[in-house]
Amino acid sequence: MNELGLPDHVDTDALQGALDAFAIETPSWGYGDSGTRFKTFPWPGAARTVWEKVDDAAHVHALTGAAPSVALHIPWDRVDDYAALRAHAEAEGVRLGAINPNLFQDDDYRLGSICNPDPEVRTKAHAHLRACGDVMRATGSRLLSLWLADGTNYAGQDDLAARMERLEEGLRVAYEALPGDGQLLIEYKLFEPAFYHTDLPDWGTAFAMALRTGERARVLVDMGHHALGTNVSHIVAFLLRERRLGGFHFNARRYADDDLVVGSDNPFELFDLFTKIVAAGGDARELAYMIDQSHAIEDKLEAMIDSVTNCQTAYAKALLVDRGALARAQAAGDVLGARRVLTAAFETDVRPLLRIWRERHGRPADPITAHRDSGYGARVANERGVGSGGGGYPTNA
Ligand code: PSV
Ligand code: MN
């Protein structure tokens, strides 16, 4: 054990360097009011505008040092002057990150967006994708992060093969809208809002579509978008090997979607997932780590800080795995020996390491306590009030 309580095989400088390179994007939509389809409980001080969402993201980054960018959802976060928004973000110490087209909230999209049977609706969806490409250019974003609500509710409602054609065409439009160095992240989801079929239901479909679309099309894994019991780490290992993993939407869930603090319910799963990334080596640095959570009853800022630090903790633990010992146990067929190597890393207390990392970066040793002591929550509650909207989600559907 070294002075930080870490095992002797660990190179502490390399560890600090890896943590320096680890950045998690937070979502603008996590700072506004949001809820379930049953009720949106207004949160005192919830951000009302994208400018305030950027302020909140900057607060989370100031406290954690690990959340330097904020994702935008268009049109929820549409502004007239993206250069001004970009300047505002940079003045606050963050960047504008992935652009998320919203192809699910217009009345026209009742039967889908790019897969809609009506060519006029598809044309409208294509135009939105192109407009999002323009937003990328104006904001300096390199990621177009696409999730579709497209699907059907009943057998026979639409021709599935025809929808696949339309899907491919729409993805091509999105790809062509990218700036030169841009990437298209294709996000899948098992079900919801459609209940018979979803046009992009799983990683396999997203992977096949990425292959057909182009080199810079990758799969985005949202942890809440799988059937219960799915081994997400296995999917991650496969996509890494194929060099088609684009990134993550981190969250935790027990049942359906994705709105709990990542790592709150499934810390070992999160750690295991990061071990696959660490094992894959250098390319893993290219991945887009993003949080996709919009909390219904929690303190929004505290939940976001908790989420960022939980990811950092899981990643730090994954970096501690004694890979040599693991490889030896695997080669020897030592089933439980291999597991012991993993659990030794998982059970190591990385809090001293992270405290030191934060202090080196001028951040508080304990971000949540610092947030609670900062007065930021009370200040924004006072300035912004309660129930002023700004979430993007429909209120009290
Ligand atoms: C859909 O459930 C999703 O995960 C997509 O990423 C959306 O863009 C996001 O949630 C916001 O609602
Ligand atoms: Mn998502």
Side-chain angles (χ1 to χ4, degrees), residues 29 73 76 100 104 147 187 189 222 225 249 257-258 292 393:
W29 54 99
H73 222 296
W76 293 342
N100 292 251
F104 50 87
W147 173 72
E187 179 177 358
K189 180 174 174 178
D222 183 315
H225 289 187
H249 273 177
D257 206 351
D258 50 14
D292 183 9
Y393 286 93

Side-chain angles (χ1 to χ4, degrees), residues 26 44 59 62 92-94 107 129 180 185 193 209 273 292 313 366 385-387:
T26 67
H59 175 68
E92 297 285 316
V94 289
D107 291 344
L129 291 170
L185 302 183
M209 288 294 162
L273 185 150
D292 183 9
T313 299
D366 176 351
V386 187

